Amino acid sequence: MATIREIADCAEVSIATVSKVLNGLPGVSRETQDTVMAAAKRLKYRPNLNARNLKMGMSRTLGIIAEDLTVFNTPGIVDGIGVCCDTRNYHYILGNLRFNKRFHHDPGYGKEKTELVMDMMDEMLSKQVDGILYIGCHSHIVAPVSEQKETRFVCAYCFSEDPNIPAVNYDDREAARKVAELLISKGHRKIGIIAGPKDSFHTNNRLLGFQEALYEKNIPYNPHLTRYGDWERDQGFANAPSLLAEGVTAIFTQNDLMAMGVIDYCNQNGIEVGKNLALIGFDDREIASVCRPSLSSVSLPLFEIGHTAADIMLDMIEKDRKPESHEILLGCSIVERESTSP
């Protein structure tokens, strides 16, 4: 790669003049600027942006720590971060903890996980990142983040036990309220729920929002119409028969995979989803639009979560400004398809 001295020799100017031109400093005529830039292009000069930025006290690089890149929510969040970085002229380094493969969906946060997080943080900090964005597999507390003080942090799809660290999530509770309101507006009063695990933040927030909507419409919540699963497809299949035996006319499954299990059961037993039974899922994964019947679902603002988290981080870096609220909750939308027709 060409050096500044070689460019100066080629352009027949001083090294100081080349330095001024390449760094955008004043005091050089337009003609000389053009000559220097032409020489730099001819010699295929590439500036060392890292060295230049570090001289200015920043790397213009963010670190992204993802708990698992294979989880459905993560790519959309990373995409939002990437677009924000492109817009504001930053780069990012992406690290993958691979929690799902290593721990098989274990929601706990023990010593081994903590060590993996801390090691990844040390690696990011050794690369002089200006801040770290942490992406969770699900909504939970990320304990180790509060222990590092050397850089800035923002959580996405999770939150820290440290109230000084901003977190960007979506509003589970309000989304479930909208689901209940939609089903009630279609005349359903006896609605079954297939929820996630009892200790999940998502499960409890979605149950609470659903119950609030029932209360507002003077419809009693019947706990006997709620079943708990583990987010997997077979739990929808296993819990559908008992809910149908209770006479429900609609089922809200708290994710799309369990909804697929309900569809499997109904298809095997001559029950027409969308006609004999209304069904709505959560997450709006790709399968929701291609299954038959197509599944109504709650669409998550994954791109917006990533973009917002990156915006907050870059404002902290450039303007030394944190958001007014510790946790930013973004709204979800319902995509209606055949499973809740008419």
Side-chain angles (χ1 to χ4, degrees):
M1 186 179 71
T3 65
I4 291 179
R5 179 179 293 279
E6 290 170 334
I7 296 172
D9 291 342
C10 181
E12 297 182 345
V13 297
S14 69
I15 292 175
T17 298
V18 174
S19 180
K20 283 183 179 181
V21 173
L22 295 180
N23 287 288
L25 300 175
V28 182
S29 69
R30 171 56 62 183
E31 181 181 358
T32 301
Q33 289 179 37
D34 292 343
T35 300
V36 169
M37 294 307 295
K41 184 176 181 180
R42 187 159 56 249
L43 294 172
K44 297 182 179 180
Y45 171 76
R46 293 184 180 89
N48 187 333
L49 296 178
N50 284 335
R52 180 187 297 176
N53 288 331
L54 288 173
K55 284 182 181 178
M56 300 171 63
M58 59 191 300
S59 65
R60 299 195 72 82
T61 301
L62 302 183
I64 302 175
I65 299 178
E67 288 190 339
D68 202 301
L69 286 173
T70 65
V71 177
F72 81 94
N73 66 298
T74 307
I77 295 174
V78 172
D79 187 36
I81 294 170
V83 169
C84 183
C85 286
D86 287 346
T87 302
R88 298 181 63 169
N89 195 28
Y90 275 74
H91 306 280
Y92 64 83
I93 300 168
L94 179 59
N96 182 19
L97 295 169
R98 298 182 13 255
F99 273 5
N100 274 6
K101 188 169 184 178
R102 283 173 159 145
F103 303 105
H104 308 291
H105 304 283
D106 177 11
Y109 220 96
K111 180 181 178 182
E112 190 174 354
K113 280 187 178 180
T114 299
E115 288 177 350
L116 285 169
V117 173
M118 300 300 284
D119 288 346
M120 184 68 76
M121 287 182 183
D122 288 340
E123 182 179 340
M124 292 290 181
L125 293 173
S126 72
K127 294 176 180 177
Q128 304 296 316
V129 297
D130 295 324
I132 293 176
L133 295 156
Y134 189 98
I135 304 175
C137 289
H138 56 93
S139 185
H140 65 290
I141 296 173
V142 185
V145 172
S146 63
E147 298 176 13
Q148 290 278 349
K149 302 299 184 184
E150 293 92 340
T151 192
R152 306 167 185 85
F153 289 94
V154 175
C155 291
Y157 213 91
C158 58
F159 49 95
S160 170
E161 63 183 7
D162 185 341
N164 295 311
I165 295 177
V168 184
N169 290 290
Y170 63 90
D171 197 337
D172 266 316
R173 183 170 168 179
E174 181 60 27
R177 178 197 292 266
K178 290 179 179 178
V179 168
E181 290 172 348
L182 172 65
L183 294 174
I184 293 168
S185 73
K186 292 178 177 291
H188 299 286
R189 295 296 181 272
K190 202 167 187 180
I191 304 169
I193 300 172
I194 302 179
K198 290 183 179 181
D199 60 353
S200 165
F201 283 103
H202 296 299
T203 295
N204 293 305
N205 283 332
R206 291 171 197 178
L207 272 178
L208 182 58
F210 200 92
Q211 291 167 349
E212 288 172 343
L214 293 178
Y215 178 80
E216 289 172 2
K217 298 297 182 181
N218 295 314
I219 301 173
Y221 169 69
N222 184 351
H224 297 295
L225 300 183
T226 296
R227 304 289 185 273
Y228 292 91
D230 60 3
W231 306 120
E232 298 299 330
R233 186 169 185 152
D234 61 355
Q235 290 296 297
F237 189 96
N239 285 300
S242 62
L243 287 175
L244 291 167
E246 294 279 359
V248 300
T249 61
I251 295 177
F252 167 40
T253 64
Q254 289 192 349
N255 78 339
D256 291 343
L257 287 182
M258 293 191 295
M260 294 301 112
V262 174
I263 291 175
D264 292 341
Y265 179 85
C266 290
N267 287 343
Q268 290 182 22
N269 290 274
I271 300 167
E272 291 189 56
V273 174
K275 184 176 181 181
N276 306 129
L277 175 75
L279 177 67
I280 186 166
F282 207 106
D283 297 334
D284 197 30
R285 299 178 68 167
E286 292 84 351
I287 197 171
S289 62
V290 300
C291 66
R292 290 294 175 265
S294 57
L295 177 68
S296 297
S297 188
V298 175
S299 179
L300 308 183
L302 300 177
F303 177 91
E304 291 79 8
I305 288 174
H307 200 286
T308 301
D311 254 335
I312 289 171
M313 173 64 75
L314 297 182
D315 281 348
M316 289 166 60
I317 294 168
E318 296 178 348
K319 305 174 184 178
D320 195 26
R321 182 179 70 196
K322 285 189 175 183
E324 294 182 2
S325 174
H326 158 59
E327 185 174 24
I328 293 86
L329 294 177
L330 304 183
C332 301
S333 58
I334 295 178
V335 180
E336 289 192 63
R337 299 189 178 95
E338 295 168 339
S339 68
T340 51
S341 298

